[in-house]
Amino acid sequence: MALHIHEACILLLVIPGLVISAAINHEDYPADEGDQISSNDNLIFDDYRGKGCVDDSGFVYKLGERFFPGHSNCPCVCALDGPVCDQPECPKIHPKCTKVEHNGCCPECKEVKNFCEYHGKNYKILEEFKPSPCEWCRCEPSNEVHCVVADCAVPECVNPVYEPEQCCPVCKNGPNCFAGTTIIPAGIEVKVDECNICHCHNGDWWKPAQCSKRECQGKQTV
């Protein structure tokens, strides 16, 4: 009799464990919110169409509100059909701009070349220089070089020479003219041979000298 009582006690101890195990069934209890999200990879966001606009960062803007979407530096207005962005007519960038920034709605030139380039050399703004003896040049604020070529006066001689670093020819021996093939100075009479005395026309150096015959002084015979 004692044996039967002991076996009954063991059976009673085992049965409650089976009952508890059968009672705890995961299908009977809903999973918590965290388990539901982790088991579903497709997250559902609120639909803002007709109610507002969402930028690239996820910020929501009300209808009529101005904002800057991530893909544009121009301001946009949230409308029923989505963002309506300004498309202004941006000013042209200076052709000699060396630094352009795109932080604003329109690109902006921040640095313009502040020198002129002429024949492979650079010159500062308003700098004056002479690339040749006959040229006078200046670097303008527009980064352009303006040059003036010297207008030389007509030399008053038939044999002008060019000196180094001088643009215009000079008459080193003063005004003169041709008497035949001989060059004579202007302002005086010159005996060019035994019979002719010549002088240059006054101010008309390019004309041949005016000559007059005199009594030839030949050798007298005895």
Side-chain angles (χ1 to χ4, degrees), residues 198-213:
C198 304
H199 66 274
C200 297
H201 293 275
N202 187 19
D204 297 332
W205 58 267
W206 61 89
K207 295 181 179 180
Q210 185 177 3
C211 299
S212 60
K213 287 186 177 291

Side-chain angles (χ1 to χ4, degrees), residues 47-55 58-68 76-84:
D47 188 0
Y48 291 99
R49 288 177 296 181
K51 303 176 183 179
C53 302
V54 183
D55 65 6
F59 290 100
V60 180
Y61 299 89
K62 298 177 182 179
L63 293 177
E65 190 173 359
R66 293 174 66 87
F67 67 100
F68 292 85
C76 300
V77 177
C78 181
L80 287 173
D81 297 331
V84 178

Side-chain angles (χ1 to χ4, degrees), residues 54-123:
V54 183
D55 65 6
D56 295 348
S57 302
F59 290 100
V60 180
Y61 299 89
K62 298 177 182 179
L63 293 177
E65 190 173 359
R66 293 174 66 87
F67 67 100
F68 292 85
H71 63 278
S72 173
N73 287 324
C74 296
C76 300
V77 177
C78 181
L80 287 173
D81 297 331
V84 178
C85 300
D86 294 340
Q87 297 295 332
E89 185 176 351
C90 297
K92 293 183 179 180
I93 298 296
H94 195 284
K96 295 184 179 181
C97 182
T98 57
K99 183 178 180 182
V100 181
E101 286 188 359
H102 299 274
N103 296 330
C105 184
C106 292
E108 185 178 359
C109 180
K110 290 296 184 181
E111 185 176 341
V112 179
K113 184 175 68 173
N114 58 350
F115 61 90
C116 300
E117 186 176 353
Y118 189 77
H119 291 176
K121 294 183 178 180
N122 295 335
Y123 301 92

Side-chain angles (χ1 to χ4, degrees), residues 4-5 10 12 31-32 38 46 55-56 74 87 92-93 101-102 116 119 125 131 152 154-155 157 207-208 219-220:
H4 293 293
I5 294 172
I10 296 174
L12 290 174
D32 57 18
S38 62
D46 294 333
D55 65 6
D56 295 348
C74 296
Q87 297 295 332
K92 293 183 179 180
I93 298 296
E101 286 188 359
H102 299 274
C116 300
H119 291 176
I125 300 296
C152 297
V154 179
C157 60
K207 295 181 179 180
K219 291 183 179 180
Q220 295 182 354

Side-chain angles (χ1 to χ4, degrees), residues 130-207:
K130 294 184 66 176
S132 71
C134 295
E135 291 179 288
W136 176 85
C137 302
R138 185 174 73 171
C139 175
E140 301 294 339
S142 61
N143 301 107
E144 297 179 351
V145 174
H146 289 174
C147 295
V148 175
V149 179
D151 186 12
C152 297
V154 179
E156 296 182 348
C157 60
V158 295
N159 57 348
V161 295
Y162 287 88
E163 295 287 348
E165 301 301 323
Q166 290 189 8
C167 174
C168 299
V170 295
C171 297
K172 296 189 69 174
N173 298 319
N176 54 35
C177 66
F178 276 112
T181 58
T182 304
I183 298 176
I184 63 174
I188 60 173
E189 291 185 344
V190 178
K191 186 177 181 180
V192 296
D193 57 31
E194 295 294 331
C195 301
N196 295 300
I197 296 177
C198 304
H199 66 274
C200 297
H201 293 275
N202 187 19
D204 297 332
W205 58 267
W206 61 89
K207 295 181 179 180

